[in-house]
Amino acid sequence: MKKILFMMMILVSTVFADQTALNSILKNISIPNVDKTIKNANVLKENLNEQNFKKFLSSWKKVEALYFAGEIDNDYLDTPRYIDVFHNLKEDLKEQMQRVIASKDEPNIALFKNSFKTINALEYVLFNDDKITKREKLLSLAILDSIVSHLNDIKGVYTQYLSSKPKSETWENAMIINSLIASTYRLKEWRIGDPSGNSSKYKDNADNKRAEYFLSKSSFLAIKSILDAHEEIMGESKYLNFGKMAVQSGAKAEVAEVENAIHNSLNELKKLKNDDFSNAKDLYEDVKSLHNAYYLSLIEQLAITAKILDADGD
């Protein structure tokens, strides 16, 4: 498993005296996105169908793409892995979930592993065939209860931070750009490069089965939600977001470069159909430009010093 850690020092501060970019982002983006995901999870519990699953998935990817709770409170560093194990699991989840479905144990016993209570496990339970059995419904409800519990934990971290003495604005801004860089790396390499055969690991070896949500054919939807989350934090808005903060700090051209890369990626994504990654090279290149716009252009203009530690856990 490829893991990249970013250590950086950011020397920029905002011109907004009464609030920081992180405070505004938590209030206007992060908490509303968590609330929407909890709401969509409860809607899915009421009616386990494809449409409701995709709404829930779409809202969750926005929460995941801009996840700050683990940096705010280290106790929640692994919480996303309790909800979504894409690219973070060495076991065959599909094989194990089939055993869970076949088991006669109560759901709270059968779902004894954290990975069994993730959205990936839920996808298998709902989409392994055309019918949702009574057993699969009970398992799905238990999985959703677990996910909602973790989402409430995330909301609690954000709410607590807003009511507590904040950390330095320097730390906050470094944490945000660090998250944006990591998010675009995973989007480029894991979610697009691996299935399309453009990543270094799977060069010229495309396989749609490597896509994040292959069973439900929701991988393009997930990619769109991640790009939408980047648009929320970098694009024009009525509230202070990271893009507005960066413009106020003299990085207008670099923010425009980021926005242009987001728009190009979204436009390229529209051309692709049916979760087929065989022609996704241009999308890969556009998201690569987005990643570079953050990592090479924006942090340089904002006077950020970055150090990348590239550790391969395989």
Side-chain angles (χ1 to χ4, degrees):
M1 178 178 69
K2 186 75 73 177
K3 184 177 182 181
I4 293 184
L5 304 175
F6 296 89
M7 299 174 62
M8 56 185 62
M9 178 177 66
I10 183 169
L11 304 178
V12 66
S13 61
T14 73
V15 297
F16 294 82
D18 58 339
Q19 68 174 336
T20 64
L22 179 60
N23 274 12
S24 179
I25 290 165
L26 293 180
K27 290 177 186 174
N28 294 291
I29 299 177
S30 301
I31 291 176
N33 281 342
V34 175
D35 282 339
K36 186 175 182 180
T37 307
I38 292 172
K39 177 183 176 182
N40 286 341
N42 288 326
V43 170
L44 179 58
K45 285 176 64 178
E46 292 294 321
N47 192 344
L48 292 167
N49 62 37
E50 180 178 353
Q51 181 181 16
N52 288 341
F53 174 80
K54 293 195 173 190
K55 284 183 179 177
F56 167 59
L57 169 66
S58 179
S59 54
W60 156 243
K61 300 315 288 186
K62 285 189 174 183
V63 175
E64 185 188 39
L66 305 177
Y67 184 71
F68 306 126
E71 298 298 326
I72 292 173
D73 186 335
N74 286 339
D75 287 345
Y76 298 90
L77 202 58
D78 289 329
T79 298
R81 295 181 187 178
Y82 299 152
I83 300 176
D84 195 321
V85 289
F86 175 68
H87 222 280
N88 284 299
L89 194 67
K90 293 185 181 298
E91 62 192 69
D92 187 337
L93 185 61
K94 296 173 183 175
E95 180 179 313
Q96 299 212 38
M97 289 312 298
Q98 190 55 52
R99 293 176 183 166
V100 171
I101 293 170
S103 166
K104 296 185 182 302
D105 291 335
E106 292 294 319
N108 63 331
I109 296 175
L111 300 169
F112 65 93
K113 280 189 174 182
N114 285 324
S115 59
F116 295 175
K117 293 176 279 191
T118 58
I119 194 168
N120 314 89
L122 177 65
E123 184 197 32
Y124 184 83
V125 172
L126 293 177
F127 294 94
N128 69 88
D129 55 28
D130 295 332
K131 183 180 179 182
I132 301 174
T133 65
K134 182 179 179 180
R135 170 72 173 173
E136 289 170 338
K137 180 177 180 180
L138 290 173
L139 291 170
S140 298
L141 297 180
I143 292 170
L144 283 165
D145 283 341
S146 175
I147 292 175
V148 168
S149 175
H150 291 305
L151 289 168
N152 277 316
D153 287 343
I154 295 170
K155 181 179 178 180
V157 173
Y158 293 156
T159 303
Q160 177 66 27
Y161 189 79
L162 290 176
S163 63
S164 305
K165 182 180 179 181
K167 298 183 181 181
S168 73
E169 190 174 1
T170 296
W171 177 87
E172 289 182 348
N173 288 335
M175 186 266 290
I176 293 170
I177 190 70
N178 186 29
S179 298
L180 295 175
I181 291 170
S183 173
T184 50
Y185 174 83
R186 294 167 185 145
L187 179 60
K188 172 175 67 78
E189 291 298 307
W190 298 359
R191 296 183 166 91
I192 301 172
D194 283 357
S196 67
N198 288 287
S199 65
S200 55
K201 187 174 182 178
Y202 295 107
K203 190 69 177 175
D204 299 325
N205 180 22
D207 188 345
N208 285 327
K209 291 181 181 178
R210 296 192 199 104
E212 185 170 14
Y213 298 104
F214 172 71
L215 284 179
S216 62
K217 295 192 181 303
S218 304
S219 301
F220 285 173
L221 176 66
I223 291 170
K224 182 180 185 306
S225 293
I226 293 168
L227 290 169
D228 286 343
H230 282 262
E231 175 67 25
E232 286 181 349
I233 200 170
M234 293 301 301
E236 292 186 8
S237 70
K238 295 179 181 177
Y239 48 81
L240 178 64
N241 63 9
F242 198 72
K244 185 172 288 188
M245 181 282 297
V247 169
Q248 294 286 354
S249 301
K252 183 177 180 179
E254 289 72 20
V255 170
E257 182 180 348
V258 168
E259 287 189 272
N260 188 53
I262 293 172
H263 295 158
N264 287 343
S265 300
L266 286 167
N267 288 334
E268 191 60 36
L269 183 62
K270 289 179 183 176
K271 300 176 184 176
L272 304 176
K273 305 297 180 185
N274 302 320
D275 263 29
D276 181 2
F277 284 83
S278 59
N279 294 309
K281 180 174 176 53
D282 288 344
L283 175 62
Y284 176 84
E285 294 297 331
D286 284 332
V287 174
K288 182 179 179 180
S289 296
L290 173 59
H291 178 71
N292 290 340
Y294 282 132
Y295 182 58
L296 299 178
S297 300
L298 187 58
I299 61 173
E300 180 179 358
Q301 183 61 30
L302 294 178
I304 299 169
T305 300
K307 180 179 180 180
I308 300 179
L309 302 177
D310 191 352
D312 193 335
D314 286 334

